Amino acid sequence: MTRPGPVRYLAPPGAIKPTGPWSLAALDTTTNTLHVAGMRGIDPATNKLVEGAEARIRQAFANMRHIAESQDASLQDCLRLVVYTTDMSRYRPIANRVQQELWGAGPYPPRTIVEVHRLNDDDIFEVEGTFYVSGAG
Amino acid sequence: MTRPGPVRYLAPPGAIKPTGPWSLAALDTTTNTLHVAGMRGIDPATNKLVEGAEARIRQAFANMRHIAESQDASLQDCLRLVVYTTDMSRYRPIANRVQQELWGAGPYPPRTIVEVHRLNDDDIFEVEGTFYVSGAG
Amino acid sequence: MTRPGPVRYLAPPGAIKPTGPWSLAALDTTTNTLHVAGMRGIDPATNKLVEGAEARIRQAFANMRHIAESQDASLQDCLRLVVYTTDMSRYRPIANRVQQELWGAGPYPPRTIVEVHRLNDDDIFEVEGTFYVSGAG
């Protein structure tokens, strides 16, 4: 899945499998910036959505983190998040709780959160992240 | 349209014309990163929307590609896409088909796709892209 | 709020205060790129929403600009904007007017604008911006 040029499209072992014409992430090896596609709460073992809102939201973040960690980046290297949810009042508090678990006392990355009309597979939550990657190569 | 500083706002020949206070794209000449505004299926010859969903979606990608190519970047240099559509079930399959035409067998850039309530001009499809540009200058 | 690594999370004096697990912005000190979280029209003096659509939209841009200026970046260093609004036909013209005030005769940054179903606090307008920062350090 890698290319000879400076942009590398990633398919790390253990990650979910894209089901369409998109990659999980692209690494710009000239700036060490990792662009992760919007991640949803899909279980990489089955490629199916996890049941339960909190578990699914946690899985979405876990899927993003897995891709970051495959490039030796951590949640502390996150430059920005955009969260898309289908119900702000129900799922934003859950996202907050999950992020507090994952990032502890912080600091937290900048986050933009919006309620959209629909996500793929009628899902409830999707998070797009951009990361700094040290020593990409 | 260019500025003396490291950020260059672009208005390439043959591209659509912005009808408001926005530019088509910005090039960060220090990182060689090209940020293209959300492109819709506007015909640059008339500055009007193309008729037909598939043709319009193809034109949106063509408009983005035209801007990238004006900086010697190609679709293979795309770092991320965010697609906004007003009907996920109708237009996502079309977007997939068009991307398969444009990117062939891949690899494909990471893509986030969401259904929003409305786009400008009551349009159906918009794509924002970020690209790596080699030898920007 | 700063970290020893290359990613710095920002909390500039005079800015609004985040009320959840997110930071206002992240600066990638290796690429001099500033990622500002979606800003809404919150008055930093009271941390409450400004009354009136135009004043509130102006405040959202002011909040973003304040963060950029804390890193010696200006609106002319903006690489991209994504605007989320809950009513395209009402608020896009106001955003255009406010941007013309702020950016004068231009050039303007690339902007993607979409109408979403809901924003946090049932707000009407949010703007996410990415900036080039010279001499970050």
Side-chain angles (χ1 to χ4, degrees), chain B residues 4 8-9 24 29 35-36 38 41 49 51 55 57 59 73-75 84 92 110-111 114 118 120 126:
Chain B
R8 296 195 190 161
Y9 298 108
L24 299 176
T29 59
H35 302 270
V36 183
L49 285 172
E51 290 299 317
I57 290 169
Q59 185 66 50
S74 75
L75 293 178
Y84 305 96
R92 186 175 177 279
R111 181 184 75 179
V114 298
R118 194 180 294 271
N120 195 19
E126 182 160 341

Side-chain angles (χ1 to χ4, degrees), chain A residues 78 80 92 108 110 112 115 132, chain C residues 9 23 38 117-118 120 128:
Chain A
C78 184
R80 64 185 274 278
R92 185 175 177 277
Y108 303 98
T112 301
E115 180 179 316
Y132 165 77
Chain C
Y9 298 108
S23 293
H117 200 252
R118 195 180 295 270
N120 194 19
E128 187 209 2

Side-chain angles (χ1 to χ4, degrees), chain A residues 76-81 108-111 130, chain C residues 6-11 23-29 31-37 67 71 129-131 133:
Chain A
Q76 280 66 44
D77 299 311
C78 184
L79 292 165
R80 64 185 274 278
L81 294 175
Y108 303 98
R111 182 184 74 180
T130 308
Chain C
V7 178
R8 297 194 190 162
Y9 298 108
L10 307 178
S23 293
L24 298 176
L27 177 62
D28 182 339
T29 59
T31 61
N32 293 341
T33 307
L34 175 67
H35 302 270
V36 183
I67 295 167
Q71 306 303 307
T130 308
F131 291 79
V133 171

